[in-house]
Amino acid sequence: MTKATIGFAMCGSFCTFSKAFEQMRRLVEDGFDVIPIMSGNAASTDTRFGSAEEMRKKAEEITGRSVLTTSVETEPIGPKDMCDVLVIAPCTGNTLAKLSLGVTDTSVTMAAKSHLRVQKPVLLCVATNDALGASAQNIGRLLNTKNIFFVPLRQDDPIRKPNSLVADFDKLPQCVEAALEKKQTQPVFE
Ligand SMILES: Cc1cc2nc3c(=O)[nH]c(=O)nc-3n(C[C@H](O)[C@H](O)[C@H](O)COP(=O)(O)O)c2cc1C
């Protein structure tokens, strides 16, 4: 029997995809049913970290399900009770900004809106070079938003990238358990 169903939404922080896939696999191995979701950018951009097709196939191989990539596919998440928790890993500065301002124009922001509509938890696993710059106000607003939780963050390279924060991806499974109980894992900043 599966433990719970996790919507696992990936945004376009391509350099952290391998870390996200590692955690996606752990969650499947831990007995969760995982529904893969990718933003349009994540699902369609070829980068030096791999082709879009390879990335979509990897998510499908790990979860055994087709990746949801459009708002039409993610809109039913709330009303059809599809997930117990929605993980956004990696979450970009772009998606943080949209979430904090209520902009819904991607598969991932639609998934979040739909899931929050039924008062269920959304867990953000952020990776962005401007976390302590342009995204700081959005992180601040989301820290104070009901049913939004964060995977603990740390400065990954304070000297060369002083505004950058990356979540501790290894903590994702324990943060999922906490978020299912609507608890924020501490400390938020490591
Ligand atoms: C190679 C590459 C790496 C990127 N890495 C990041 C990143 O780590 N964090 C981030 O916030 N944006 C990153 N971006 C920019 C996002 O992909 C861009 O803002 C995009 O619009 C995000 O869309 P989404 O949030 O809907 O996925 C990267 C872009 C490219 C091409």
Side-chain angles (χ1 to χ4, degrees):
M1 199 177 87
T2 56
K3 287 207 251 184
T5 303
I6 300 172
F8 195 115
M10 301 178 74
C11 299
S13 167
F14 303 96
C15 56
T16 60
F17 268 24
S18 59
K19 289 195 211 184
F21 283 132
E22 204 181 309
Q23 300 311 318
M24 186 187 269
R25 199 179 289 283
R26 270 178 81 189
L27 291 168
V28 170
E29 285 170 1
D30 284 352
F32 289 100
D33 191 8
V34 177
I35 299 175
I37 299 161
M38 284 187 175
S39 70
N41 281 312
S44 66
T45 311
D46 296 330
T47 73
R48 63 196 162 96
F49 301 101
S51 74
E53 193 185 355
E54 271 167 24
M55 297 303 140
R56 281 200 311 274
K57 280 193 176 152
K58 180 133 190 172
E60 291 177 350
E61 175 258 307
I62 295 170
T63 61
R65 288 171 172 267
S66 299
V67 181
L68 310 184
T69 59
T70 66
S71 295
V72 171
E73 290 169 317
T74 58
E75 181 277 332
I77 281 179
K80 291 209 171 159
D81 205 17
M82 286 166 65
C83 308
D84 299 297
V85 58
L86 176 69
V87 171
I88 305 184
C91 181
T92 55
N94 180 59
T95 291
L96 276 177
K98 291 179 180 185
L99 292 174
S100 89
L101 293 170
V103 175
T104 306
D105 63 354
T106 67
S107 55
V108 175
T109 50
M110 185 70 242
K113 178 175 177 161
S114 177
H115 193 69
L116 288 168
R117 165 182 157 176
V118 290
Q119 317 250 317
K120 287 187 180 173
V122 174
L123 176 63
L124 305 181
C125 189
V126 172
T128 184
N129 284 335
D130 69 358
L132 296 175
S135 290
Q137 59 187 321
N138 300 321
I139 291 172
R141 204 176 288 119
L142 290 165
L143 281 168
N144 198 32
T145 302
K146 197 173 165 186
N147 291 324
I148 301 255
F149 303 93
F150 282 79
V151 176
L153 292 148
R154 64 162 72 113
Q155 283 185 275
D156 52 316
D157 189 348
I159 306 299
R160 285 186 302 165
K161 296 191 291 174
N163 284 344
S164 182
L165 292 179
V166 178
D168 186 349
F169 279 66
D170 288 337
K171 293 221 166 90
L172 215 152
Q174 78 185 69
C175 295
V176 163
E177 301 281 3
L180 281 165
E181 293 177 23
K182 300 210 175 172
K183 288 187 182 146
Q184 171 60 53
T185 302
Q186 297 292 346
V188 182
F189 296 100
E190 295 180 332

mmCIF file of all heavy atoms in Angstrom, residues 11-15 39 41-42 47 49 92-95 106 127-128, ligand 1:
data_model
loop_
_atom_site.group_PDB
_atom_site.id
_atom_site.type_symbol
_atom_site.label_atom_id
_atom_site.label_comp_id
_atom_site.label_asym_id
_atom_site.label_seq_id
_atom_site.Cartn_x
_atom_site.Cartn_y
_atom_site.Cartn_z
ATOM 1 N N CYS A 11 10.842 22.768 -11.733
ATOM 2 C CA CYS A 11 10.981 24.017 -12.496
ATOM 3 C C CYS A 11 12.387 24.070 -13.093
ATOM 4 O O CYS A 11 13.216 23.200 -12.832
ATOM 5 C CB CYS A 11 10.741 25.220 -11.589
ATOM 6 S SG CYS A 11 9.092 25.237 -10.883
ATOM 7 N N GLY A 12 12.654 25.145 -13.876
ATOM 8 C CA GLY A 12 13.866 25.207 -14.688
ATOM 9 C C GLY A 12 15.151 25.608 -13.997
ATOM 10 O O GLY A 12 15.879 26.465 -14.495
ATOM 11 N N SER A 13 15.462 24.969 -12.886
ATOM 12 C CA SER A 13 16.799 25.088 -12.299
ATOM 13 C C SER A 13 17.536 23.819 -12.728
ATOM 14 O O SER A 13 17.627 22.837 -11.979
ATOM 15 C CB SER A 13 16.710 25.178 -10.771
ATOM 16 O OG SER A 13 17.991 25.003 -10.206
ATOM 17 N N PHE A 14 18.032 23.853 -13.962
ATOM 18 C CA PHE A 14 18.504 22.627 -14.609
ATOM 19 C C PHE A 14 19.713 22.009 -13.912
ATOM 20 O O PHE A 14 19.874 20.794 -13.899
ATOM 21 C CB PHE A 14 18.786 22.900 -16.088
ATOM 22 C CG PHE A 14 17.571 23.427 -16.796
ATOM 23 C CD1 PHE A 14 17.376 24.790 -16.972
ATOM 24 C CD2 PHE A 14 16.588 22.557 -17.246
ATOM 25 C CE1 PHE A 14 16.233 25.278 -17.599
ATOM 26 C CE2 PHE A 14 15.444 23.034 -17.870
ATOM 27 C CZ PHE A 14 15.269 24.405 -18.040
ATOM 28 N N CYS A 15 20.551 22.868 -13.297
ATOM 29 C CA CYS A 15 21.757 22.349 -12.642
ATOM 30 C C CYS A 15 21.419 21.542 -11.385
ATOM 31 O O CYS A 15 22.263 20.804 -10.889
ATOM 32 C CB CYS A 15 22.729 23.484 -12.316
ATOM 33 S SG CYS A 15 21.995 24.765 -11.315
ATOM 34 N N SER A 39 7.331 22.240 -15.268
ATOM 35 C CA SER A 39 6.913 23.504 -15.878
ATOM 36 C C SER A 39 7.172 23.386 -17.377
ATOM 37 O O SER A 39 7.982 22.549 -17.823
ATOM 38 C CB SER A 39 7.713 24.669 -15.289
ATOM 39 O OG SER A 39 9.059 24.601 -15.719
ATOM 40 N N ASN A 41 8.895 25.305 -19.164
ATOM 41 C CA ASN A 41 10.328 25.524 -19.388
ATOM 42 C C ASN A 41 11.128 24.272 -19.055
ATOM 43 O O ASN A 41 12.008 23.867 -19.825
ATOM 44 C CB ASN A 41 10.831 26.692 -18.528
ATOM 45 C CG ASN A 41 10.459 28.022 -19.140
ATOM 46 O OD1 ASN A 41 10.669 28.241 -20.328
ATOM 47 N ND2 ASN A 41 9.889 28.903 -18.347
ATOM 48 N N ALA A 42 10.848 23.666 -17.922
ATOM 49 C CA ALA A 42 11.592 22.473 -17.509
ATOM 50 C C ALA A 42 11.401 21.343 -18.521
ATOM 51 O O ALA A 42 12.331 20.593 -18.815
ATOM 52 C CB ALA A 42 11.150 22.025 -16.121
ATOM 53 N N THR A 47 19.490 21.817 -22.288
ATOM 54 C CA THR A 47 20.602 22.588 -21.716
ATOM 55 C C THR A 47 21.840 21.703 -21.649
ATOM 56 O O THR A 47 21.784 20.509 -21.947
ATOM 57 C CB THR A 47 20.284 23.077 -20.280
ATOM 58 O OG1 THR A 47 20.338 21.954 -19.399
ATOM 59 C CG2 THR A 47 18.934 23.761 -20.192
ATOM 60 N N PHE A 49 22.918 20.507 -19.182
ATOM 61 C CA PHE A 49 22.690 19.480 -18.155
ATOM 62 C C PHE A 49 21.877 18.304 -18.701
ATOM 63 O O PHE A 49 21.623 17.345 -17.994
ATOM 64 C CB PHE A 49 22.006 20.099 -16.938
ATOM 65 C CG PHE A 49 22.812 21.202 -16.330
ATOM 66 C CD1 PHE A 49 22.507 22.529 -16.584
ATOM 67 C CD2 PHE A 49 23.933 20.913 -15.552
ATOM 68 C CE1 PHE A 49 23.283 23.548 -16.053
ATOM 69 C CE2 PHE A 49 24.708 21.920 -15.021
ATOM 70 C CZ PHE A 49 24.386 23.246 -15.269
ATOM 71 N N THR A 92 12.294 27.568 -8.888
ATOM 72 C CA THR A 92 13.093 28.710 -9.384
ATOM 73 C C THR A 92 12.661 30.036 -8.751
ATOM 74 O O THR A 92 11.560 30.150 -8.187
ATOM 75 C CB THR A 92 12.894 28.852 -10.901
ATOM 76 O OG1 THR A 92 11.486 28.952 -11.146
ATOM 77 C CG2 THR A 92 13.477 27.698 -11.674
ATOM 78 N N GLY A 93 13.504 31.046 -8.943
ATOM 79 C CA GLY A 93 13.137 32.412 -8.553
ATOM 80 C C GLY A 93 11.903 32.868 -9.310
ATOM 81 O O GLY A 93 11.029 33.552 -8.749
ATOM 82 N N ASN A 94 11.815 32.466 -10.561
ATOM 83 C CA ASN A 94 10.662 32.812 -11.401
ATOM 84 C C ASN A 94 9.353 32.279 -10.797
ATOM 85 O O ASN A 94 8.371 33.025 -10.625
ATOM 86 C CB ASN A 94 10.911 32.208 -12.787
ATOM 87 C CG ASN A 94 9.804 32.474 -13.764
ATOM 88 O OD1 ASN A 94 9.494 33.623 -14.046
ATOM 89 N ND2 ASN A 94 9.215 31.418 -14.298
ATOM 90 N N THR A 95 9.370 30.997 -10.428
ATOM 91 C CA THR A 95 8.144 30.399 -9.869
ATOM 92 C C THR A 95 7.853 30.944 -8.472
ATOM 93 O O THR A 95 6.687 31.150 -8.114
ATOM 94 C CB THR A 95 8.249 28.854 -9.912
ATOM 95 O OG1 THR A 95 8.194 28.458 -11.287
ATOM 96 C CG2 THR A 95 7.133 28.176 -9.161
ATOM 97 N N THR A 106 1.579 28.675 -15.446
ATOM 98 C CA THR A 106 2.364 27.491 -15.825
ATOM 99 C C THR A 106 1.711 26.253 -15.195
ATOM 100 O O THR A 106 0.878 26.384 -14.283
ATOM 101 C CB THR A 106 3.822 27.566 -15.309
ATOM 102 O OG1 THR A 106 3.809 27.488 -13.866
ATOM 103 C CG2 THR A 106 4.521 28.834 -15.737
ATOM 104 N N ALA A 127 16.091 26.759 -5.409
ATOM 105 C CA ALA A 127 17.481 26.901 -5.868
ATOM 106 C C ALA A 127 17.505 28.125 -6.773
ATOM 107 O O ALA A 127 17.007 28.066 -7.904
ATOM 108 C CB ALA A 127 17.938 25.670 -6.637
ATOM 109 N N THR A 128 18.047 29.237 -6.257
ATOM 110 C CA THR A 128 18.118 30.418 -7.121
ATOM 111 C C THR A 128 19.249 31.354 -6.704
ATOM 112 O O THR A 128 19.472 31.572 -5.506
ATOM 113 C CB THR A 128 16.763 31.169 -7.181
ATOM 114 O OG1 THR A 128 16.877 32.242 -8.111
ATOM 115 C CG2 THR A 128 16.310 31.713 -5.852
HETATM 116 C C1 LIG B 1 20.999 26.322 -17.784
HETATM 117 C C2 LIG B 1 20.023 27.111 -16.962
HETATM 118 C C3 LIG B 1 20.066 27.011 -15.584
HETATM 119 C C4 LIG B 1 19.159 27.742 -14.793
HETATM 120 N N1 LIG B 1 19.229 27.611 -13.439
HETATM 121 C C5 LIG B 1 18.357 28.282 -12.665
HETATM 122 C C6 LIG B 1 18.373 28.131 -11.261
HETATM 123 O O1 LIG B 1 19.159 27.355 -10.689
HETATM 124 N N2 LIG B 1 17.490 28.826 -10.518
HETATM 125 C C7 LIG B 1 16.581 29.684 -11.100
HETATM 126 O O2 LIG B 1 15.811 30.295 -10.357
HETATM 127 N N3 LIG B 1 16.523 29.837 -12.436
HETATM 128 C C8 LIG B 1 17.378 29.155 -13.228
HETATM 129 N N4 LIG B 1 17.324 29.301 -14.595
HETATM 130 C C9 LIG B 1 16.337 30.231 -15.179
HETATM 131 C C10 LIG B 1 14.957 29.598 -15.300
HETATM 132 O O3 LIG B 1 15.024 28.425 -16.093
HETATM 133 C C11 LIG B 1 13.983 30.620 -15.922
HETATM 134 O O4 LIG B 1 13.772 31.682 -14.997
HETATM 135 C C12 LIG B 1 12.675 30.015 -16.337
HETATM 136 O O5 LIG B 1 11.838 31.040 -16.838
HETATM 137 C C13 LIG B 1 12.009 29.305 -15.181
HETATM 138 O O6 LIG B 1 10.699 28.915 -15.516
HETATM 139 P P1 LIG B 1 9.859 28.002 -14.498
HETATM 140 O O7 LIG B 1 9.973 28.606 -13.149
HETATM 141 O O8 LIG B 1 8.445 28.082 -15.034
HETATM 142 O O9 LIG B 1 10.419 26.637 -14.608
HETATM 143 C C14 LIG B 1 18.204 28.597 -15.411
HETATM 144 C C15 LIG B 1 18.160 28.678 -16.805
HETATM 145 C C16 LIG B 1 19.054 27.950 -17.572
HETATM 146 C C17 LIG B 1 18.966 28.049 -19.071
#
